[in-house]
Amino acid sequence: MVFGSYVLIYFTILYTRRRLGIVTNEMMDVPKWRFAIIGFLEALGVATGMAAAAMLPGPVIPILNQTYLVWQLLFALLILGRRFLLNQIAGCLLVAVGVVVAVSSGSGADTTLSGIGFLWPAVLVASAAFQAGASIIKEFVFNDAAKRLEGKSLDIFVVNSFGSGFQALFVFLLLPFLSNLKGIPFASLPSYLKDGAGCFFNTGAKISGCDGAPILPLLYIATNLAFNISLLHLVKISSAIVSSLTMMLSVPLAVYIMSKPLPYLPGGSSLSSNFTMGCIVLVLGLLLYNIPTTPTKQHTKTS
């Protein structure tokens, strides 16, 4: 339902910008197989991430997800041929450490890690690798398109629309696997989707957990669309790694907001001093990554 909404909205915006002449024929001629790879990797990341999350304790998940940034550094080195300065590498590591400290503080993550086998943590790390690879390929598409278009920049809705379209296609193909993870027999999936649509639009029989629909789901989609478009624009004007660092900053901010008493959510909770310390480490990491340096022969992209 949500995937379909995103694809419909992205292609509607792309069609409008195409009619207005913002998106040119040359932009539409960008090789589509690259978007197929992006969509496949993102769908694979969703599937493996859901599989691992179903088998892992909650506090472990945000910790292992920080390998996303490590994968990005590696893929940027291999795919883009980028070289990083010491302060950039140290800044990325500080950001990852800050997120781990802020999110896992007081959760008992240190004790739950000892009782986990190797398989499912490895699957979650692989999920981060798939999604990191997709983000670096998006940056490669923007860089390559700038050469093909003779200095013109590729419209972000070309990337968003076709990338999301292929992702939705591969997620659809993976539905039997994903429904099995949720304990839903594949034969029951149509009725399950029908109930989900009824909950989304708050129609038909009253279903538990649908309070606030359809306003809250629509607000979520609108906010998430704006967030995704902003992140992709950041990839376009800077790099996938800068985009990820910005996204990581949103994690402790979201935890802080969720700790406050909000409508449709349980009562607020207090945050430990470790949360504040983690946020400070995270911000220091961002500052360290963006410290101005003297020009060198390093092939880095300034943010």
Side-chain angles (χ1 to χ4, degrees), residues 8 19 32 43 47 68 83 96 122 137 147 156 183 190 196-197 250 267 294:
L8 178 62
R19 292 295 299 271
K32 303 301 185 296
Y68 178 85
R83 299 294 182 269
I137 294 175
K147 300 174 184 176
I156 62 174
S250 70
T294 55

Side-chain angles (χ1 to χ4, degrees), residues 99 102-103 227 246-260 262 271 275 279 282-283 286:
V99 172
V103 175
F227 184 69
T246 305
M247 184 170 59
M248 287 183 175
L249 178 61
S250 70
V251 175
L253 290 177
V255 173
Y256 174 77
I257 293 173
M258 295 288 285
S259 70
K260 302 302 178 183
L262 297 173
L271 297 172
F275 177 83
C279 291
L282 188 153
V283 173
L286 290 174

Side-chain angles (χ1 to χ4, degrees), residues 212-233:
I215 300 300
L216 289 183
L218 291 174
L219 283 175
Y220 168 78
I221 290 176
T223 304
N224 202 32
L225 281 171
F227 184 69
N228 290 339
I229 291 169
S230 300
L231 284 180
L232 188 59
H233 180 68

